[in-house]
Every structure is written in structure tokens, then in C-alpha cells.
Amino acid sequence: MKKISLLIILFQNIIVLAQTPTFTWSESASSIDNELNFTIQNHFDGNRIFKIKSAYNDKIFNKDVFVDIFSPNDDFEKDENNFSVGLEQPVMGKNMKTLTHLFYLTGKDYVYFLTEFNSETKEFELFTQKANIDTGTKTKATFLTKMPAKNMFNIGDFFIAQSENKQFYGVISRPTGDKKLNEKVTLYVLDTNFKIVKSIEHEFAFTTKQSFNIDVHVSNNGNLAIVRELDLPKMKPYKSLFYWDSKTQNVVEHNLKQDLDFQVSQFKWKETDNGNYFIGGISDGKRKVGIDLGGALPEANPTNSLLLMHFDADGKVVLNEKIALEKQNNINLEEIILKDNKFWLLFNEIYTGSKRLPAPDPSKPLERPTEYSYVSTGFTVIKLDATSGKLDWISRIKNEEPRTTNDNGDHVKYLHFFRNNQLVLIYNNSRDINMNTKYFVRNSRFAIMSIINNDGAVVSTKDIPNSGVGKTYNFCYELDLSVAIPVDENTYIVRSRCGNSARYGYLKF
């Protein structure tokens, strides 16, 4: 028996050694333009990296879209600086069309969804437009649909989503309604040519107030789901899910109200060959936070249980399972991976907070910058059976990281990979490298790798040797955990950072 155990341990060690990655970094460095609160997407076309950054700019009342281009074959030199593919602004005034949503298509093409208030007809209009992130060229905006608006300040909302396979788009058109009347919306399904193929009007039951936001999901076969909050008199608000099988004219409501007024605090959708899954975290709403973010109020997701719903291709619920958990104070659902009919749910344990700083210019007292803080306490992985909803296991890696500021939390995240039916997590671990004194702490982030096997056991946690980041007093480059662009099944492009400077390189298994 001991010989068998030793053989198993030896075999596991061999697998771990085979999975240990190596890093190679570029010699040249590039400056990091402002990335705070930008939504960032990275694409690699085989020759160059395209980093697309988008964020709303309240100075132009529109969304900025910038592209940074890097050439791996030229030591990751940046090709362009602040290359804009947003909407062009006129010399005088502002562009009346507003870029509200952008979705990646294929190659170097994106689709933009634009809105504009028509002052003559008092209507709020929606358009589509294709943009090339390499050349910056755009097609002419094409009209899609419209809805009545009261005035330019009460125009209503368009909520838009793209299917995982990029074959369909879902649009919810919601005019500004009267608080005393039921909320009316129009649901649209668009094809790959951005043409309306299905539409239906729906009237929600009366609520005390109009929901501020509507979450939209469109499935890979063109079904539409809406998750919104209902606020009824003398009741605590709760979420409800509305599902439209676009082959029919029926919108079916699935009430997500929980016992004891617990809330579905976070959720994601996952597409499969057998339909789509709704996976949500249920919270009692009581936050227990013991993290110091320098005066900021942390955001946390205490989770008591999970809700798993499976919708088949016709929109029927074939599984509705609630999975009880020991209460987790702060797990944020980040990724859902389906492998061998099992869901691997990946959670980060990042607390985020913000505070307003004094105005740097006393003559402009209202222009006060905001400082954003991030602290991580570790990572949680949960494995569920996709057929029964049964909980297989929960595994946690405790990794308390000190506070970072204004970096989008990129140093306290993780990179994840599946290798040999095991989950590989790569992350940073801060340690004091100023060993000669106990009065002055200097942290440096070491690159760490943990491996979780199919049974949920953390079979290995160790430093990555010769990672080329962290470790020394005069070398400040540390692993940036926001970038892992696949080149092939064994190679990824990654990034390290030192203040406002970045170096790209390769991670190879």
C-alpha cells in the first residue's frame, strides 16, 4: 500500500513539474496609458496585439475607445500611441450620436451600437456601425429601431447583449414610463447582419418604481432572458427572471425571490450544447468586512448558497437547484468553465473601495479625483455537476495581499489554465524583501502557482522559479494578472508592470 501511495505522489510530482511554466520578458518597456476604470479587451492576430480600452467620458458625453498596438516580433514595441477608434467629435460642439455598446466580431472588426435623440420627432433612435480597430475606419451608421421619448433628458434606455457564439444580439427597448403605470418594453433579436429577426412587446406587472438597470442575455440559439429587480409596496426588492423562447410569443417569468428576503446578489450565464445555465449567488445581505482600505467602504458579496437553473433549447426549466454553502464572506463569481459535464466556478475574493481626494487645484474645488483601492484575501473554486446540480467540492486558496491603488486590481487577480485535467492558478504573493530590519517593510510580489486536481485537493503551491518578476530590491516589475493572451495551447502573452511602465513577454508550459 505504501508503494502505491509513493507511486501516486511521485506521479503527481512529475505532472506538477511538467506543468511549471517559464517566463521570458522583452527588453524594451512601454508606458501604460490611463487604464483606470476602462473596460479592456486584448486580441492577438498572429502578428500583433490589439488592446482595446473603452470608458465613458463625461466631458464629451460619449464613450472613448482607444487602441494600443504591440508587435511581439519587434520586442513588443508599441506601434501607436492613443490611437482612437471612438466617434469623431466636431470642431465645435459634440457628436449627437452616442456610442453605448461595442462588441467584438472577428479579425479586427467590432460592432458599435449608437443612440441619438431626434429633436424633431421626439424619438430615441438606435443605430449600428462596424469599426476596424486596425485602420480606424467605420461604416456608415445604419438605423435599427426607435422609441418615443419625452425630451432629450427623458429618453429611455436600450439594453443590449451579444450571444456567446456571436450569432445573435438581444436588445431591450424601454421608454421612460409613468411611475403610476406598468413598465412596457420591446424585445428584439438580431442576426449576424444586425437585422431584426424577432420582436415582441412585453408589459411588466406594476412596480413601485422603474428598475434602474436590466440585465440582458441572448442564448446561442436566439432566446432572450431578462433579469431585473422588482420593487413592490411593503416588500423588500427582489430579482425576477423573464425568459423568451423566440420561437413563441410568450415571455415566461421565473420568480427569484428567496426565503428570509435573501437576495440573488451576483449571477452569470453559461452556454452549452444542451441549452444555457443561470448560476447565481444568494446572499443574506449582511456584510462582515474586516479589511482596511484606507477609509474606503469595501464592496463584498457574502454568499450563503448557489442557484443553478438549466434552460433547454426551448426555454423550459429542466433543472432548478439551490446548493447550500457554508457562508462565504466575499466571493465574486468571475469565470464558469464546463469540463466533462462539470462546472468549475472560479471566484476571486477581492474587496474594492473608493474615496474622494482633495482637489489638487484649489481654484477648481469640484474637480476632486477618486482613489480606488483593492485588497485580496484569496481565491475559491467550486465544482458542480451540470446534470444534477450536486455540489462536488469547494476548494479555497488563502492568499492575503496588501492594498493596491488605482490599478484595477490587476496585481491581486489570478490567471487560470487547465492542464492534464487539473486547474492551474498563477497569482502574486507579497513578501517583505527588506530582511535586515523589522521597522521598515518593503513588499515585493512573487509569482506563485497552485494546482487543484479533479477532486478539489490543492496538490501543489510553490514559487515559479526564474519568473523574472519581483524578488529584488531594485527591480520593481511585478506580474500583471489582467493579461493572458493565448498564442497556442502551451503559450500565452503576459504582461508585467512597474508603476506606469510595462513589459510584455511569454508564458510557456
Side-chain angles (χ1 to χ4, degrees):
M1 193 71 179
K2 287 183 178 179
K3 289 183 178 180
I4 295 175
S5 298
L6 287 172
L7 286 172
I8 292 173
I9 293 171
L10 180 62
F11 179 69
Q12 286 183 335
N13 288 335
I14 291 172
I15 291 177
V16 168
L17 288 172
Q19 293 180 156
T20 301
T22 58
F23 289 88
T24 55
W25 298 102
S26 63
E27 292 294 331
S28 62
S30 58
S31 62
I32 299 177
D33 296 325
N34 179 32
E35 295 181 357
L36 185 61
N37 295 328
F38 277 84
T39 298
I40 299 176
Q41 295 178 310
N42 293 283
H43 304 291
F44 179 59
D45 69 351
N47 294 307
R48 294 181 297 166
I49 302 167
F50 295 85
K51 182 173 71 175
I52 296 86
K53 305 179 296 183
S54 60
Y56 184 77
N57 184 340
D58 55 10
K59 293 182 179 179
I60 62 172
F61 305 105
N62 222 316
K63 184 169 286 190
D64 282 327
V65 185
F66 298 113
V67 180
D68 292 337
I69 304 175
F70 301 87
S71 301
N73 295 329
D74 192 20
D75 200 34
F76 294 96
E77 290 284 349
K78 184 187 287 189
D79 292 357
E80 294 284 348
N81 187 30
N82 287 332
F83 174 43
S84 174
V85 291
L87 298 187
E88 292 78 10
Q89 298 297 319
V91 177
M92 301 293 290
K94 302 287 189 294
N95 193 328
M96 298 308 295
K97 284 187 171 60
T98 302
L99 170 56
T100 59
H101 297 76
L102 64 158
F103 300 101
Y104 179 63
L105 298 174
T106 58
K108 301 168 187 175
D109 288 331
Y110 270 71
V111 59
Y112 291 173
F113 284 85
L114 317 174
T115 59
E116 184 177 15
F117 172 68
N118 190 321
S119 58
E120 294 182 358
T121 62
K122 296 295 189 293
E123 292 173 326
F124 193 38
E125 300 173 336
L126 181 66
F127 302 81
T128 60
Q129 180 181 56
K130 288 180 69 174
N132 185 287
I133 60 173
D134 189 5
T135 63
T137 56
K138 305 179 187 69
T139 62
K140 184 178 179 181
T142 303
F143 174 79
L144 181 62
T145 186
K146 61 184 179 181
M147 61 179 165
K150 293 183 177 181
N151 51 55
M152 66 181 301
F153 303 104
N154 295 282
I155 52 179
D157 298 284
F158 286 108
F159 303 94
I160 306 172
Q162 181 190 55
S163 65
E164 196 171 298
N165 62 2
K166 299 179 173 48
Q167 298 298 305
F168 296 97
Y169 297 84
V171 177
I172 308 297
S173 166
R174 183 183 67 183
T176 302
D178 192 314
K179 293 181 179 179
K180 298 180 181 180
L181 300 177
N182 291 355
E183 192 175 58
K184 298 179 181 179
V185 299
T186 304
L187 286 60
Y188 300 94
V189 175
L190 282 56
D191 61 14
T192 53
N193 297 315
F194 321 115
K195 303 295 184 183
I196 297 173
V197 293
K198 297 280 184 177
S199 67
I200 186 174
E201 293 184 352
H202 180 72
E203 184 173 311
F204 293 111
F206 176 76
T207 58
T208 305
K209 61 182 180 180
Q210 194 175 52
S211 61
F212 179 76
N213 191 29
I214 290 178
D215 290 281
V216 184
H217 174 78
V218 57
S219 70
N220 282 346
N221 62 341
N223 292 338
L224 202 60
I226 302 171
V227 179
R228 69 185 295 267
E229 191 168 87
L230 301 181
D231 194 345
L232 302 178
K234 299 180 180 180
M235 291 180 62
K236 190 171 183 177
Y238 63 92
K239 289 185 176 65
S240 203
L241 191 158
F242 301 83
Y243 200 98
W244 176 36
D245 175 10
S246 58
K247 298 185 294 297
T248 72
Q249 291 297 306
N250 298 316
V251 178
V252 180
E253 180 180 0
H254 303 275
N255 193 312
L256 301 181
K257 181 174 173 55
Q258 305 298 313
D259 295 336
L260 303 175
D261 287 331
F262 284 17
Q263 300 290 314
V264 178
S265 59
Q266 53 180 318
F267 60 87
K268 284 186 179 294
W269 290 86
K270 182 63 180 178
E271 291 294 318
T272 72
D273 294 336
N274 301 317
N276 50 14
Y277 286 79
F278 174 89
I279 302 177
I282 299 173
S283 165
D284 60 10
K286 299 176 182 178
R287 298 193 297 184
K288 295 181 179 179
V289 178
I291 300 293
D292 180 14
L293 288 178
L297 177 64
E299 297 174 2
N301 286 309
T303 301
N304 302 75
S305 55
L306 296 175
L307 177 63
L308 178 66
M309 298 178 69
H310 180 195
F311 295 85
D312 66 12
D314 298 321
K316 295 179 181 177
V317 178
V318 294
L319 178 66
N320 189 346
E321 189 74 16
K322 188 181 294 185
I323 303 108
L325 304 174
E326 183 179 345
K327 183 174 178 179
Q328 310 290 320
N329 276 335
N330 183 45
I331 57 174
N332 308 290
L333 181 56
E334 191 171 66
E335 187 79 25
I336 301 173
I337 301 171
L338 179 62
K339 188 173 179 62
D340 299 328
N341 203 44
K342 300 286 185 178
F343 285 120
W344 295 62
L345 311 184
L346 277 56
F347 299 80
N348 69 48
E349 299 179 16
I350 296 179
Y351 291 83
T352 63
S354 62
K355 67 176 181 179
R356 297 292 298 277
L357 301 177
D361 186 351
S363 66
K364 301 177 181 178
L366 298 180
E367 295 184 6
R368 298 174 58 190
T370 301
E371 180 184 83
Y372 297 90
S373 303
Y374 313 87
V375 168
S376 173
T377 56
F379 322 105
T380 298
V381 181
I382 296 178
K383 188 179 179 184
L384 303 175
D385 186 272
T387 300
S388 65
K390 176 180 174 295
L391 173 67
D392 285 356
W393 46 258
I394 300 177
S395 185
R396 179 172 185 262
I397 296 174
K398 182 179 179 181
N399 186 58
E400 296 183 356
E401 279 295 287
R403 183 171 72 112
T404 67
T405 57
N406 297 335
D407 68 343
N408 283 329
D410 292 343
H411 287 109
V412 294
K413 299 174 182 177
Y414 58 83
L415 304 178
H416 65 276
F417 311 90
F418 258 104
R419 313 287 301 175
N420 299 317
N421 293 318
Q422 295 179 317
L423 178 65
V424 177
L425 296 179
I426 295 176
Y427 51 95
N428 287 318
N429 178 258
S430 292
R431 303 171 198 168
D432 182 12
I433 58 172
N434 200 16
M435 304 298 293
N436 297 324
T437 176
K438 62 180 180 180
Y439 301 106
F440 179 71
V441 175
R442 181 182 178 90
N443 283 324
S444 181
R445 295 182 176 91
F446 289 63
I448 301 294
M449 181 181 72
S450 289
I451 297 178
I452 300 177
N453 69 11
N454 208 37
D455 297 321
V458 183
V459 296
S460 173
T461 294
K462 65 176 186 176
D463 290 4
I464 299 176
N466 302 318
S467 63
V469 288
K471 296 187 178 181
T472 62
Y473 190 88
N474 294 318
F475 186 79
C476 71
Y477 279 94
E478 298 172 331
L479 186 60
D480 181 333
L481 298 163
S482 66
V483 179
I485 310 168
V487 177
D488 54 48
E489 63 179 6
N490 294 313
T491 308
Y492 298 82
I493 295 172
V494 290
R495 188 172 79 165
S496 59
R497 294 173 63 171
C498 173
N500 293 324
S501 178
R503 295 192 312 166
Y504 282 85
Y506 292 103
L507 179 155
K508 294 185 179 182
F509 286 96

